[in-house]
Amino acid sequence: MRADSHRLSILSDPLPIPRASVQYPVFSSSPVAVSDLSPPLKLQSYSLPSQVSYQELARFFRRHPDALGVLITEDNAENRPENKAINRNASTPIGMVSQQRLNQWRSQRDLWRNALQRPLAQHVAWWQAASQYVQIEDWLPLQDAIDRLLEEQVEEEPADASNLSEPIVIITATGAKLCDRNHLFAAYTRLIRAQQKALVEPAIETLRRQQQLILDAIGDGVYGVDLQGNATFINPAAAQMIGWEPQALIGKSMHQVLHHSRPDHSPYPREACPIYAAFQDGIIHRVSEEVFWRKDGSCFPVEYISTPMRDEQGKLVGAVVAFRDITQRKWAEAILQRTNEELEQRVRDRTIELQQANEQLKELSELRSRVVTMVCHEFRNPLNNILLSVSSLERYGAQLTPEQKGHYLLGIQDNVERMTQMIDAILIIGRVEAKRIEPQPSQFDLIPFCRDLMAEIAGEIQHPRLQFTCRFKRLLVTLDQCLLRSILTNILTNAIRYTPAPGKIQFKVLKQHHQIVFQITDQGIGIPPEDLPYLFEPFQRGRNVSNIAGTGLGLNIVKRFVDLHGGQINVSSQLGQGTTFQVSLPLHLPVCG
């Protein structure tokens, strides 16, 4: 018994607990101690001597079902070790038993029955010694106490993970007491929130002032409306453009102020207004050609964007409208239109002169005339966009942010790239017309060729929706690989471009008699029936493509390359449901010696 008592005394010496290496913010200049918390922590003072049996321990917990645990004290003065500095009084805790640990022991039925009548001192392995549980002095700053708990969680062995739910021992002036870990963390959370609020409120006011300064500095008109369409804020630029004082507009219906009529002075119903639609359907609405009305009754052309506003819960609370006076741009567009018309007229005049000069080249001249006309038409939009972007950069360069300038420059780059693609496609068509492109067939296995092509397209366009089907594991063909790659790539990329996610694209390879058939089916927007007869003509695009990028030359090149192989291409489409392209090519082309 003396040996066990000596062991208990040694375990009662609390080990020093190192500070956590992770630093957490302390918002108060004078740290709050654990004992100063308001409301104070809920502490429990249950203790039993080490000579109590396990049966009496179980009986204690039945009488106190709300107890977090019980502290074990060494009360036998005769059995204390010679080093009495470790236990200075009989009530010094040397261990702790929690409700959780008791339940774990009782589940070990054979061991539990054998230990019921034995005192706690004889089974020290069944409870936490003082060196194992967390002791926190009530005068300790709350931040330091939290650091100790966090360090214990980081360094805890997986096998001892149950210790993370054990109570904490709080050392007070009246003795040791038990506290739930969650209560301590909750108190820390309440304290931090209160201190954060004291710091955040001035920051919010500063942010509000900064936002007002930003609104005042924006050159475009910006205003906000609530769900009734009444103005909640308006920047000086917007008020100046419509001839009002900013404060005079707050609370007024902005539709009645500046958007009440159409350009022909006919009434503009509120229900048809895209600005109001933004906080009805929650979608951003962009309008490029409408008018706003000034206080003096005059109007001016504008482009605007109406963006829905939501609160923290995602509920629609209104909309923000940003608009720009585009009078100068309209003037530039009119000049550009006249210039284009003059250019087209000159092209037509020159075409007539060429036809009169050389009747023998009539067919070629007509073809060139059509190509030039179509090129002028197709180049007009990107040229217009480039001109407008350059014009905006010149006029508003000092007012635009770097991001806005980058947007204009990116638009110029995209339009130049589009024109480059058209030029490349026109050059290919010209080479075909001049018979400078002839098939160069070679024998190869079609299956790995198609799989490699699919992987290249999927990786380049980042579209995992392609599905390849073929019942052959190996299929030898003799075709021009370069031309075939161009045919399939054009059709597949078109299928991806016009098929919104998550629509699938089926790519099937079939063998029919002496022909190889490529069947590509998408679930895209489809082709209007009236556009199908002209699908393979240059610069022809479906009227439903909207703003989807394209040159209108890809399918014309596909048709020419199919014809070079002596094959056929057929199209079937249903508007809004999808399109199927079927390309039939000879299985083997003769190889030139």
Side-chain angles (χ1 to χ4, degrees):
M1 182 65 185
R2 184 173 300 275
D4 290 339
S5 176
H6 178 71
R7 183 183 179 192
L8 293 174
S9 299
I10 296 299
L11 290 174
S12 69
D13 186 15
L15 296 176
I17 300 177
R19 294 290 304 276
S21 59
V22 180
Q23 295 298 318
Y24 295 88
V26 177
F27 296 95
S28 174
S29 58
S30 56
V32 177
V34 174
S35 58
D36 296 334
L37 289 174
S38 179
L41 290 174
K42 297 178 181 179
L43 304 178
Q44 293 182 356
S45 302
Y46 296 115
S47 62
L48 291 173
S50 62
Q51 298 305 315
V52 169
S53 69
Y54 279 96
Q55 189 172 25
E56 291 174 311
L57 177 65
R59 190 179 300 115
F60 169 83
F61 278 120
R62 285 196 297 272
R63 290 197 304 269
H64 302 84
D66 61 335
L68 298 172
V70 60
L71 289 166
I72 303 170
T73 61
E74 180 57 73
D75 59 346
N76 188 347
E78 296 179 358
N79 292 331
R80 291 180 188 172
E82 295 180 359
N83 186 6
K84 296 182 179 181
I86 296 176
N87 287 325
R88 291 183 291 274
N89 55 68
S91 63
T92 299
I94 61 173
M96 176 180 66
V97 179
S98 65
Q99 283 267 26
Q100 176 179 334
R101 286 188 178 269
L102 178 66
N103 293 333
Q104 292 174 354
W105 304 335
R106 295 181 67 173
S107 65
Q108 305 175 38
R109 298 184 181 276
D110 294 339
L111 295 176
W112 176 252
R113 281 195 295 268
N114 295 333
L116 276 177
Q117 304 302 325
R118 303 175 68 179
L120 302 180
Q122 294 184 13
H123 275 281
V124 296
W126 281 17
W127 42 271
Q128 272 193 312
S131 61
Q132 297 173 326
Y133 57 66
V134 178
Q135 298 183 49
I136 295 176
E137 298 82 359
D138 65 346
W139 52 262
L140 192 69
L142 179 59
Q143 179 71 46
D144 293 352
I146 294 298
D147 285 349
R148 288 189 182 182
L149 294 179
L150 293 174
E151 183 183 70
E152 179 201 20
Q153 292 183 3
V154 171
E155 296 181 353
E156 193 66 49
E157 293 291 336
D160 297 331
S162 60
N163 291 344
L164 301 179
S165 60
E166 291 290 284
I168 308 166
V169 177
I170 304 294
I171 307 300
T172 68
T174 58
K177 299 181 181 181
L178 294 179
C179 173
D180 190 346
R181 291 171 182 256
N182 292 332
H183 289 169
L184 190 62
F185 277 109
Y188 178 71
T189 301
R190 289 194 299 271
L191 177 64
I192 293 302
R193 284 179 178 173
Q195 295 177 341
Q196 284 179 329
K197 184 178 180 182
L199 291 176
V200 166
E201 286 180 349
I204 291 176
E205 181 60 30
T206 300
L207 180 60
R208 188 178 292 112
R209 291 195 300 269
Q210 290 176 345
Q211 290 176 338
Q212 187 60 47
L213 290 174
I214 293 173
L215 281 175
D216 293 346
I218 295 176
D220 290 344
V222 181
Y223 68 87
V225 293
D226 58 21
L227 293 178
Q228 287 70 45
N230 299 325
T232 56
F233 67 86
I234 183 166
N235 74 332
Q240 182 180 6
M241 276 189 272
I242 60 178
W244 287 75
E245 291 296 327
Q247 292 303 320
L249 292 169
I250 302 301
K252 287 184 177 293
S253 169
M254 293 303 289
H255 186 77
Q256 294 298 326
V257 169
L258 54 73
H259 207 205
H260 48 77
S261 302
R262 301 184 187 275
D264 60 0
H265 296 270
S266 62
Y268 200 142
R270 167 176 168 167
E271 296 76 15
C273 177
I275 296 174
Y276 282 83
F279 54 77
Q280 297 292 327
D281 55 24
I283 300 174
I284 297 175
H285 290 263
R286 293 179 172 85
V287 177
S288 58
E289 290 190 6
E290 280 193 359
V291 297
F292 280 178
W293 294 84
R294 301 185 182 93
K295 187 177 181 179
D296 61 7
S298 61
C299 65
F300 58 97
V302 295
E303 64 176 9
Y304 65 84
I305 176 172
S306 180
T307 305
M309 286 194 301
R310 301 179 184 271
D311 59 15
E312 293 80 0
Q313 289 74 39
K315 183 180 178 181
L316 287 168
V317 295
V320 174
V321 181
F323 67 92
R324 176 180 298 169
D325 185 344
I326 58 172
T327 302
Q328 294 295 326
R329 193 179 78 186
K330 286 289 185 182
W331 175 78
E333 288 176 352
I335 294 178
L336 182 62
Q337 178 65 27
R338 289 197 298 270
T339 303
N340 287 337
E341 290 175 355
E342 292 175 1
L343 177 61
E344 291 177 359
Q345 183 61 44
R346 292 176 182 177
V347 170
R348 286 193 293 269
D349 293 343
R350 182 58 177 165
T351 301
I352 294 174
E353 291 176 4
L354 291 174
Q355 290 175 340
Q356 294 173 348
N358 193 351
E359 190 64 24
Q360 295 179 353
L361 300 176
K362 180 179 180 179
E363 181 178 353
L364 181 58
S365 298
E366 290 175 351
L367 175 61
R368 289 178 178 175
S369 176
R370 289 199 306 270
V371 170
V372 170
T373 302
M374 288 185 290
V375 168
C376 291
H377 177 75
E378 291 301 319
F379 273 36
R380 186 184 307 157
N381 285 337
L383 286 173
N384 287 347
N385 292 336
I386 292 172
L387 179 60
L388 291 176
S389 296
V390 172
S391 176
S392 297
L393 289 171
E394 289 178 349
R395 289 198 302 272
Y396 307 109
Q399 302 173 6
L400 295 176
T401 64
E403 289 79 10
Q404 291 172 327
K405 293 179 180 179
H407 175 74
Y408 280 114
L409 293 175
L410 184 61
I412 293 173
Q413 181 179 346
D414 290 341
N415 283 288
V416 171
E417 183 177 352
R418 180 182 174 189
M419 289 190 293
T420 301
Q421 291 174 352
M422 285 191 290
I423 292 172
D424 291 340
I426 292 171
L427 291 176
I428 291 175
I429 294 173
R431 291 177 61 193
V432 174
E433 288 288 341
K435 298 186 178 186
R436 294 174 57 189
I437 295 180
E438 294 292 340
Q440 302 294 326
S442 62
Q443 190 176 68
F444 61 96
D445 190 348
L446 186 62
I447 306 305
F449 174 87
C450 291
R451 293 189 184 278
D452 292 342
L453 179 63
M454 293 274 288
E456 177 183 337
I457 293 175
E460 180 178 325
I461 309 179
Q462 297 181 352
H463 251 284
R465 298 179 287 145
L466 297 172
Q467 296 179 354
F468 178 71
T469 305
C470 183
R471 66 185 184 89
F472 298 99
K473 294 184 178 179
R474 192 167 185 265
L475 186 58
L476 292 178
V477 297
T478 307
L479 300 170
D480 188 317
Q481 293 191 47
C482 183
L483 299 184
L484 180 60
R485 178 181 295 273
S486 179
I487 292 170
L488 297 178
T489 300
N490 268 285
I491 298 175
L492 286 170
T493 52
N494 277 349
I496 294 172
R497 184 180 298 122
Y498 297 110
T499 301
K504 304 293 184 182
I505 294 92
Q506 298 284 342
F507 179 23
K508 295 182 180 179
V509 175
L510 309 171
K511 180 182 177 184
Q512 296 179 354
H513 304 295
H514 298 290
Q515 287 190 326
I516 190 73
V517 178
F518 304 91
Q519 192 176 85
I520 299 171
T521 303
D522 64 49
Q523 298 175 349
I525 61 176
I527 303 171
E530 55 270 29
D531 291 336
L532 284 173
Y534 313 102
L535 191 61
F536 298 104
E537 292 187 9
F539 300 103
Q540 292 295 325
R541 303 190 71 205
R543 61 197 65 193
N544 61 334
V545 298
S546 185
N547 59 349
I548 301 175
T551 63
L553 294 172
L555 289 180
N556 179 263
I557 294 174
V558 167
K559 180 67 167 62
R560 292 173 183 271
F561 286 177
V562 170
D563 291 342
L564 286 176
H565 279 84
Q568 293 182 341
I569 182 169
N570 297 303
V571 184
S572 61
S573 182
Q574 192 165 357
L575 200 60
Q577 296 188 14
T579 303
T580 297
F581 281 81
Q582 182 168 299
V583 177
S584 302
L585 300 178
L587 197 59
H588 297 285
L589 287 180
V591 179
C592 298

